[in-house]
Amino acid sequence: MSRIGVFTCHCGENIGATVDCVKVAEMCKDIPGVVHSVEYKYMCSDPGQRQMQEAIKEHQLDGVVVAACSPRMHEPTFRRAAGDAGINPYMCEMANLREHCSWVHEKGDATTQKAADLIRVLVEKVKHNEPLHPIKVPVTRTAMVIGGGVGGIQVALDIANGGHKVVLVEKSPSIGGHMSQLSETFPTLDCSQCILTPRMVEAAQHPNITLMTYSEVEKVDGFIGNFKVTVRKKARKLDEKLCTGCGLCIQKCPNKKISDEFNEGLGTRTAIYVPFPQAVPNKPVIDLQNCTYYKTGKCKVCEKMCPTNAIRFDQEDELVTLDIGAIVLATGFKLMKTDAFPEYGYGKHKDIIDGMQFERLASASGPTSGVMKRPSDGKEPETVVFIACSGSRDRAKGVPYCSKICCMYTAKHAMLYKHKVHSGKAYVFYMDIRAAGKDYDEFVRRAIEEDEVKYIRGRVSKIYEEDGKLIVMGADTLMGGEPVVIKADMVVLATAVQSNDRSEELAQTLHVSYDSYGFFAEAHPKLRPVETNTAGIFLAGACQAPRDIPETVAQASGAAAKVVGLFSNDELTREPIVAVVNRQAAPVYSTCVGCFLCQGACPYQAIEQEEIKARSGEVIMTLARINPGLCQGCGTCVATCRTKAIDLQGFSNEQIYAELMTL
Amino acid sequence: MDEKFEPKITAFVCNWCTYAGADLTGTSRIKYQSNVRVLRVPCTGRIDYMMVLKALHKGADGVIVSGCHPNDCHYTSGNYHARRRWMVFKKMMEVMGVDMRRITFSWVSAAEGARWAQLVNEVTDQVRALGPYAEFRQIIGAGIE
Amino acid sequence: MRIGYYPGCSLLGSSREFDESTRAVLKALDVELVEVADWNCCGASSAHILNHELSIALPARILALAEQAGLTEILAPCAACSNRLLSAQQELEKHPEMLAGIEKAIEMPYKGTVKIVNILEVLDRLKDLIAAKTVEPFAKKVASYYGCLLVRPPRVVNFDRPEDPQSMDRMLRAVGATPVEWPFKTECCGAAFSVTRTDIVAKLSGKLVQDAVKRGADAIVVACPMCHSNLDLRRAEINEYLQQEYAIPAMFITQVVGLALGLDPKALGLHRHMVPVEFAETAGVQS
Amino acid sequence: MEAVNQRAKELLEKGEIKAVLGYAKGTGHVRRPHFARKAGQVDQLVLDAACLQNLAVYVTKHEVKKLGKVAVIALPATQRAILQLMAERQLRDGELVILAVDGEAVKELDSAAALEEHLALKAQGLDAKDKALLAELDAMSREQRWVYWQNELSRCMKCYACRNSCPMCYCGTCTMDCNRPQWVPVASHGIGNLEYHAVRTMHLAGRCVECGECGRACPVGIPVHLLTFAAEESIHEQFGQRAGAKAKLDYALSTFKTDDKESFIR
Amino acid sequence: MANTYNLSHESLNSLFGALRKDGRRIMAPVEAGGRTELAEVETPAQVASDYLQTILSAKEVAFPKVERLLSYTIAPGQVDLKDTEPKAVPTVLFGVRPCEAKAFGALDAVFNWDYRDKFFNARIEQLAVIGLSCTKADEACFCTSVGGGPADATGSDILLTPKEGGYLAEVCTEKGAAILNLAPDLFKPGNGVDKAAITAKVEQAFDQPALTTKLPGIFESEVWTDQALRCIGCGACAFVCPTCVCFDIQEEADPKKGERLRCWDSCGFHLFTLHASGHNPREVQGARWRQRVYHKFSYYPERYDMLGCVGCGKCTRACPVDMNLKEHLIEAAGVKA
């Protein structure tokens, strides 16, 4: 017979005001197997926990039901306390009287009855609980950082400086990310390249960091501490060891009119190229879509010119599988394109550009060498309109959220423009100015007050072209909704920050959750912001939500700290909520019949084959076995198994059956 | 029939979405009817159809089975497997003449606290209107001398 | 092809030429138009601001009649008509609980099975045939003017791009015309102010006429009776307001297609326009 | 038949197999399963329209496996069952000699791949009679179906003839025999019978080769095969998969498509 | 004590009326959906007219497939136990075959061996059997090989044998006489008829006493394994058998209440003898099949001095794989000891 203790919590007024806790505690005394039932104001408080621990000892309890808040809140707390009192922590269960009862029902007998019922169910469950022991798994102390922008670089450097190996995977030919495209950064207006480039070089030269540029993660198997990551190293068509980065091939490449991604289509590049002069590594790649040789079978000029014979036209993609202990996602974001705006001409006007294009126009290393020239005819724009919240906070565009960085960079853009074209007129259409950050609001004020940027609070309904001008039709809501028409030479849309292309695909590869906009989901919005729901995978930067540089870097260091913390142990312990295939004495061995129908149902490929052998070595049966390191405890296999050979620890058939019998 | 018939509703919900969603209902102080008793399992993939049948056996007048929306499964695909299982199970129950108005399948995410309240209320009202599941009750004990 | 036909009031009155040209062109393309018998007012433009149920019941009756006639598709050339039909159909789909009341009001069953199409959709389907049958390419520069009701609200009409639509431009290119790039494809013409406040129409439609001419158009092409009224019937007020004699004709898309197919201008109702359909060497402003 | 028997004799004589599993004359007009273990016994084997049983039920039994390699005279349903058993890893390639009989034609097969290829040439699905029965069931109201099945199932006494005659019910420990917990009551009372047949159906959904053996086996004439047929057909309709058609396991309930179409989940 | 009477076809109506008036339920074979099964009837017209055997035996009248032995409720601090009082309705079994009537003796032997089963006895006390001799038999029948016959009156309170215009009625027991006394006018004095001439011919198939003597010596014979190779191990034979008496006790309970049920069981099931350790003394179907034969033909005679088989052939007819008991017994009888 079980000796179960029930501890009913008032949670102050939270439960107590609706549920008659005293009565509930009294009712629970009548449940067979319950030897101790009390109520207390705050069970989670120190005295509350102590009370429970003392009762465990005094009444020799072998199981505990804490009737309080959601187990998602305090189950770890009470299990720890129960464990400290000498019983197995998994002999403690929680009945959710707060979120599922007192907060959602009116005061009354029915609610009190429900509270007692909820406890009764859990008491029956606890009677069938088994003591469980945490699973220990070894840890491979190598981290993988996916994404080589400023966030990824920071994570990699922090982990590497912590003494652990890091593999930094970047899909494009160079690390640097969006930050390397920026001209100046707010609120200090220091040159982006100047502060980023040293970090890029540091990462490249760090003995603990292995750079894998022009590479993409293809497959992730395994689990925390023991991931097996397959990376596709795309063929640069070049022997990186031989290439010195002299650039001769680039100079001689006959195919020079290719739209340049790094310059956001505002400049051109060759078919063999490095994305930008400061690229790390400074080794070119051949763009297969545009290379004359791959299109026509003739050319090979680069091969002829290369002084070290580094060009390899026959090079193939390479798949590399790595043992990884932790993964940090730092895959960044993308900007909504101007063609997403019907009201602004679906991207057909060359002089309507997005924020990143403006960065390139303003950048000293950009296609105009930092001279303000509008894309259509290269003229210096005399009037520029900046439109904040282009797409952001707009349900019709599918982006109800605030993109967070646009207020600041729009102010910066207007300022940079005014610094370059002193006589120019800059207008900013905005909804609200969100300049929360150190020195941020001061920065915006400077744009308005010192650089005389005209801020108009209102939306722009339409832009059309007339006589070489862009007619911007908007409204000034601070002037009673008065229509405003501005004849502009160039319009800059602060387009919405969106999750990166294929981020959902990547999330599915890594088994991490993501929100409806494709941003990766953190494990807890407040308390676990750099972790994902998948153990061992962490987040940094704008792949989680729109972020600016300081925030990205801070989060990157946070994620790095998590990884370093994980790597501080030889092995780590995991919750024993895993599926198990039963084993019985010969000649039955197991009720598993070895049909392996469960294998397909497992999302984690955790179901392996195990052979039962006679002493002679002859295989008697082939059974399923569940790798406790891979199993995450979803229980899909349990429901699939016909012979009930698989059971889920913590949510076993016996436990659930007992709960059901109580209803 | 008892004039004050109050239906018994049993809900099987996954830990990560619907249970968390129901927690949010609480945190948001959205009220709903108290007829439902929730059983927490890790994932809809864990929900064996026998649980649903047992709930009816043990006197439930209505059953709710709920988990993460497609694509949102904490375990990436448990809910897809569950969905298939339900598609077949529902068909079977219909063939056997079980009243499927009493079994509700739904997706309620961790963010849908209001939706959980609405679902529970809708199901409770619907089952209350249907009355006790007398038909099913009749076969319990039938065939015993 | 056999298709249901709901002309609506405008096509019997102010825009008879739209009706005539639609029938003529579709006949030339071997499309059989089956006019819905005993049709009624679609409710535009006032029913929906007066009584919601009425605004649903009126179009529902038309659709129900079409169902009874065994039609699967119904063409409503007037943009306001097709807009109202679509609105009613979607409202009933979304709110099945309204159905009983509506059926009672119209005294017949309503199933919602009839697909509603506008004239551009029908022409687009026949594009290849039209191109093949074109004998006199309409080699003019044209400003394609869609107005509001053809493309808006997008969730109701779900047709073409709500800003800068393309379907009429495609059709015009198919018959040899060159659509000008202009920004006012969906700007307001003044619509129902045509009667009550001609001054507003003059201002709004005036902007359209002025810009079309400025961008070198020889004609403004429309697919809505209301647009046509404002651009054609109100041309005197427009010209007076702008202090300019704009002679650019406003034509229905069906008329343009009809001309290209070599149909008799009279059969297309060209003679009914207030602004003569004439093209000078240098179209636009007549000095 | 003669050709089959001839080949069976040959195999037995050469010692390549230890027994031939086929049909023999039984009580009255009945044909019963029969193991011919000596060449001389082969002549007892008959093959005619009265041979109905799905012989695949025997090939997973350890008593039969212990005999050694067996040749099975396999009608189409038996072929499908053997293929499904192979996909479910209950039989290996080469473990059996499959004498596939389809009308007059006989083919000797010994691997899942060969069986798959062989079966691919044949139409699958229910015959007209069973389709009509399902349609009849379908035409009933929900309440009528409930009454129909409760009437039928009231006769069930859980003799498990349906289970034991099914080639796919090879589990060493059937879920019905699992008692910790006892999900399905042992007793054959109202709820016990409903739950048993629901479980049996769900366990065969996606695995049923539609031989109808369970219905034939039932001593009290409950058309239990209609349940598994309905499940299997619905799986075929909804997911396009069929049991007993593929050498590689293609189990509808452990695979999924992200766009599986249903309309009932709120 | 058999007294012989004539009973006309027409008088059956009155007899049924008299029985029902006396408060007795009449159970008889009826046709339902192509099957012959036992069911409650009100008039003779409802009784199946031309049948060989019912699928299930008549044993369920006294030994139902599921019966409640006791129930209990659990309240705080106490268990409230309630014994089940057997519901015994006065019943007349009409028209069962002599073999089945005889089988009640085999059931009685077990239910009253050392422990007297109150459930069985309560029902038997209230039961009267009006048997009906067989005028036809099939290949499965072998009553004459096990001491019975198509017109054997053992076990019947009244045995009817069809003849022209009605039945020959042999009133065999006091229970039978009591029925006669309900409607004495219907039973006309009749003279003896040559029953053998009217009833079915069932040839004796094997020498049962010799087989029973031989069985202990051929326990290890391969004949059992060979015969059982075809057996799929279901319980159809046991469940239709009029003498099979094995049952399983099941407790169905939740934290608040429970009940104890007695359910039919079968020695043919693998689970029947499975130990909790996983060991199974009857691991293979051959052993289980042998048990079935030995129980009926060796252990029964040894323990109760009677056979556990009445040769009705129901098992053969019900078997999905045509395990023909008669044929198998003939084969066993031929095995060299």
Side-chain angles (χ1 to χ4, degrees), chain A residues 9 53 147 155 168 208 239 370 389 399 401 410 420 502 530 538 554 566 591 604:
Chain A
C9 177
Q53 290 173 324
V155 178
L168 179 56
N208 278 344
D239 188 328
C389 292
V399 183
Y401 56 84
T410 296
K420 287 176 194 285
R502 293 168 62 202
V530 302
F538 305 93
L566 174 66
T591 59
Y604 302 98

Side-chain angles (χ1 to χ4, degrees), chain A residues 19 24 67 95 97 101 110-120, chain B residues 37:
Chain A
V19 170
V24 166
L97 297 199
C101 191
T111 304
T112 298
Q113 184 58 48
K114 177 171 177 177
D117 283 356
L118 293 178
I119 297 171
R120 216 184 300 275
Chain B
R37 302 289 181 269

Side-chain angles (χ1 to χ4, degrees), chain A residues 67-228:
Chain A
C69 52
S70 173
R72 294 173 55 84
M73 179 86 192
H74 267 317
E75 194 176 73
T77 313
F78 290 111
R79 283 194 167 164
R80 201 178 311 116
D84 290 347
I87 62 170
N88 184 285
Y90 296 91
M91 299 306 288
C92 168
E93 295 280 348
M94 285 191 74
N96 191 343
L97 297 199
R98 194 177 74 179
E99 283 84 344
H100 286 198
C101 191
S102 68
W103 274 351
V104 291
H105 305 317
E106 306 292 347
K107 183 177 180 159
D109 287 347
T111 304
T112 298
Q113 184 58 48
K114 177 171 177 177
D117 283 356
L118 293 178
I119 297 171
R120 216 184 300 275
V121 168
L122 270 304
V123 167
E124 293 307 321
K125 183 180 183 190
V126 169
K127 285 184 190 171
H128 294 84
N129 277 22
E130 299 273 348
L132 301 176
H133 301 282
I135 295 162
K136 300 218 184 281
V137 283
V139 177
T140 304
R141 285 167 165 147
T142 303
M144 174 172 283
V145 179
I146 306 176
V150 62
I153 292 170
Q154 184 67 40
V155 178
L157 285 172
D158 285 352
I159 297 172
N161 289 334
H164 303 292
K165 296 281 178 202
V166 182
V167 180
L168 179 56
V169 180
E170 165 59 46
K171 71 177 173 194
S172 61
S174 168
I175 58 170
H178 285 312
M179 189 174 166
S180 63
Q181 290 177 280
L182 304 182
S183 53
E184 272 81 35
T185 57
F186 61 79
T188 47
L189 288 189
D190 45 356
C191 151
S192 183
Q193 289 268 3
C194 313
I195 53 177
L196 181 65
T197 310
R199 290 296 179 93
M200 289 163 63
V201 174
E202 192 186 342
Q205 292 174 348
H206 202 293
N208 278 344
I209 297 178
T210 309
L211 279 191
M212 292 181 82
T213 52
Y214 210 45
S215 299
E216 285 182 61
V217 170
E218 188 110 332
K219 190 163 154 245
V220 178
D221 286 332
F223 52 96
I224 180 169
N226 299 274
F227 293 106
K228 278 220 180 307

Side-chain angles (χ1 to χ4, degrees), chain E:
Chain E
M1 65 169 288
N3 293 317
T4 325
Y5 302 89
N6 280 333
L7 194 63
S8 70
H9 279 303
E10 299 73 39
S11 62
L12 277 187
N13 256 326
S14 312
L15 179 63
F16 273 41
L19 289 169
R20 284 167 48 76
K21 207 175 144 200
D22 193 41
R24 305 198 199 200
R25 166 178 77 142
I26 304 169
M27 300 287 287
V30 297
E31 291 295 331
R35 299 175 304 274
T36 310
E37 51 189 41
L38 216 52
E40 187 173 351
V41 296
E42 293 178 359
T43 67
Q46 291 170 275
V47 180
S49 55
D50 184 38
Y51 66 96
L52 188 72
Q53 292 250 352
T54 50
I55 296 169
L56 293 187
S57 77
K59 77 175 170 195
E60 58 177 331
V61 175
F63 172 37
K65 64 177 181 177
V66 186
E67 66 185 318
R68 185 180 293 109
L69 301 181
L70 59 86
S71 55
Y72 54 85
T73 50
I74 304 171
Q78 67 168 48
V79 176
D80 194 4
L81 191 70
K82 206 173 119 222
D83 269 329
T84 304
E85 283 315 311
K87 251 193 307 173
V89 187
T91 301
V92 174
L93 257 179
F94 178 86
V96 298
R97 295 303 180 189
C99 46
E100 288 199 56
K102 189 182 171 194
F104 283 107
L107 296 178
D108 185 78
V110 174
F111 282 120
N112 289 305
W113 174 39
D114 52 357
Y115 176 78
R116 291 184 59 78
D117 187 87
K118 72 169 180 180
F119 297 91
F120 177 80
N121 286 327
R123 294 197 181 96
I124 285 290
E125 270 163 32
Q126 297 287 345
L127 181 70
V129 179
I130 302 179
L132 182 62
S133 300
C134 303
T135 52
K136 55 182 180 180
D138 69 1
E139 285 186 49
C141 291
F142 61 99
C143 52
T144 52
S145 308
V146 289
D152 184 7
T154 319
S156 292
D157 296 304
I158 296 175
L159 177 68
L160 303 180
T161 305
K163 62 170 195 170
E164 222 172 296
Y167 304 93
L168 176 77
E170 296 167 74
V171 179
C172 313
T173 64
E174 279 173 21
K175 278 186 186 171
I179 291 174
L180 182 145
N181 287 335
L182 290 175
D185 299 348
L186 303 178
F187 292 82
K188 311 285 187 216
N191 42 9
V193 178
D194 182 6
K195 287 204 290 181
I198 323 172
T199 54
K201 309 281 170 293
V202 181
E203 298 295 327
Q204 191 183 325
F206 56 90
D207 181 351
Q208 175 266 318
L211 173 69
T212 298
T213 315
K214 180 194 262 183
L215 281 177
I218 57 168
F219 190 80
E220 302 293 349
S221 166
E222 284 194 357
V223 72
W224 313 117
T225 337
D226 286 354
Q227 288 180 353
L229 205 49
R230 183 164 83 244
C231 176
I232 54 172
C234 73
C237 49
F239 288 2
V240 301
C241 176
T243 67
C244 267
V245 76
C246 289
F247 56 76
D248 185 11
I249 303 273
Q250 282 290 324
E251 193 142 314
E252 295 184 1
D254 62 35
K256 287 183 192 144
K257 60 182 191 312
E259 56 188 2
R260 190 167 292 173
L261 304 176
R262 173 155 78 186
C263 318
W264 288 354
D265 203 350
S266 164
C267 60
F269 293 147
H270 168 262
L271 196 71
F272 190 77
T273 46
L274 180 65
H275 293 186
S277 67
H279 171 65
N280 194 338
R282 293 185 207 136
E283 181 60 37
V284 294
Q285 201 58 35
R288 302 194 273 273
W289 167 247
R290 179 178 61 198
Q291 164 65 21
R292 181 169 168 76
V293 174
Y294 273 63
H295 191 218
K296 294 188 179 307
F297 289 91
S298 184
Y299 312 149
Y300 240 85
E302 195 180 311
R303 182 166 295 171
Y304 310 117
D305 197 23
M306 65 163 72
L307 281 177
C309 175
V310 294
C312 65
K314 283 185 196 291
C315 53
T316 305
R317 288 178 212 106
C319 180
V321 292
D322 194 35
M323 294 284 282
N324 185 314
L325 182 58
K326 178 170 84 174
E327 206 181 297
H328 286 145
L329 291 170
I330 294 170
E331 189 184 11
V335 172
K336 289 202 186 81

Side-chain angles (χ1 to χ4, degrees), chain A residues 70 72 75 104-105 604 644, chain B residues 15 23 32 40 48 75:
Chain A
S70 173
R72 294 173 55 84
E75 194 176 73
V104 291
H105 305 317
Y604 302 98
K644 308 281 170 219
Chain B
N15 181 49
D23 276 359
Y32 57 86
R40 180 169 71 120
D48 192 330
Y75 304 101

Side-chain angles (χ1 to χ4, degrees), chain A residues 328-387:
Chain A
V328 182
L329 283 167
T331 51
F333 67 99
K334 69 165 186 207
L335 281 184
M336 190 182 267
K337 296 286 175 210
T338 53
D339 59 6
F341 297 88
E343 65 272 36
Y344 307 151
Y346 291 101
K348 70 184 169 193
H349 304 299
K350 277 188 171 176
D351 296 326
I352 301 181
I353 60 173
D354 66 31
M356 195 54 89
Q357 288 174 316
F358 186 87
E359 295 284 350
R360 296 314 300 149
L361 283 184
S363 171
S365 69
T368 58
S369 303
V371 178
M372 270 298 142
K373 291 178 181 173
R374 67 177 197 171
S376 63
D377 52 12
K379 278 191 200 144
E380 185 181 73
E382 285 161 19
T383 305
V384 179
V385 170
F386 296 89
I387 306 177

